[in-house]
Amino acid sequence: NLVELDLSFCPLITDDIMAHLFTSSSSCLEKLMVRGCDGLQNTRINSSKLRVLDISLCGSLKEVELNCDALIDLEIGMCLSLQSFSIDSSSIPSINLSMLPLNRIYLDCASLTHLKLSGCFAMSNDSVECCKCPSLTNLDIRGTDLTGDFFVLMGDGGGNRGGEDEVGTTTTLGDDSNTAAATTSRRGIQINTKRAKVKNEWQSLCTWEVNFPSNWD
């Protein structure tokens, strides 16, 4: 049975084809590469065996929903139309969603220790539909509008949206200042909140500087 499949940069790959790959209960796919497949728009994958997924560089992708309990490696960078991301996996240790235009996330990941949301400028507290990540130790939310409530969501699994940390100080995430670099939450999560630097880095990536000669007519 097929275990690995690479369909990268294939313009014929659609959401229906993706669904068909995992429809059969006998599907043994453990590694799937569909990077650069611009036919994907609203992708949903349900698989108990998939371990590696590369869905990066899909320019038309707007929504991703993953129910993949065995998933341990996910590449999803440079999906510049992605607005909604949902994942249910008990195995994945880290997720990098940096620089994506997300306005909704749903995370149910028991083994997740590292989460990167830096540069997701559309993200706010209301964007977090669920965040059940009891093993989280490192959180990067530079360049977002997430605030301290997001930390509480992290601890309560999407429940209570108000409160203070154990040491009695309000945790502020997404700080505009250049000096706020990291905070430790009530569960020992290392939270990187340095926002201005990320904005400047993003602007440098997106800005073209053109110097015309002095004698240009």
Side-chain angles (χ1 to χ4, degrees), residues 17-51:
I17 292 176
M18 284 282 285
H20 183 71
L21 288 174
F22 297 97
T23 298
S24 173
S25 59
S26 61
S27 175
C28 294
L29 270 181
E30 295 182 6
K31 183 176 181 178
L32 177 63
M33 314 285 283
V34 287
R35 66 196 315 256
C37 293
D38 286 338
L40 297 176
Q41 296 185 5
N42 299 284
T43 297
R44 293 172 174 80
I45 298 178
N46 290 281
S47 171
S48 61
K49 298 181 179 179
L50 188 67
R51 294 172 56 82

Side-chain angles (χ1 to χ4, degrees), residues 52-157:
V52 178
L53 174 64
D54 187 344
I55 198 171
S56 59
L57 296 171
C58 295
S60 301
L61 192 63
K62 296 180 180 179
E63 180 179 356
V64 171
E65 183 177 323
L66 305 175
N67 186 359
C68 305
D69 199 53
L71 191 68
I72 58 173
D73 189 356
L74 172 66
E75 295 290 337
I76 197 171
M78 296 302 291
C79 293
L80 300 182
S81 298
L82 188 63
Q83 298 178 355
S84 176
F85 176 78
S86 173
I87 182 170
D88 187 341
S89 171
S90 63
S91 303
I92 194 163
S94 65
I95 298 176
N96 186 353
L97 302 174
S98 297
M99 298 297 184
L100 296 176
L102 292 166
N103 56 38
R104 174 191 174 270
I105 59 171
Y106 181 104
L107 307 172
D108 190 346
C109 305
S111 299
L112 188 70
T113 59
H114 288 68
L115 174 61
K116 295 188 70 174
L117 294 169
S118 56
C120 296
F121 299 131
M123 287 288 295
S124 66
N125 293 346
D126 292 335
S127 304
V128 186
E129 185 171 308
C130 174
C131 197
K132 298 178 181 178
C133 307
S135 301
L136 193 68
T137 58
N138 191 285
L139 172 65
D140 189 345
I141 55 173
R142 295 173 296 170
T144 73
D145 285 327
L146 292 164
T147 67
D149 289 345
F150 180 65
F151 153 73
V152 178
L153 282 174
M154 199 71 68
D156 295 343

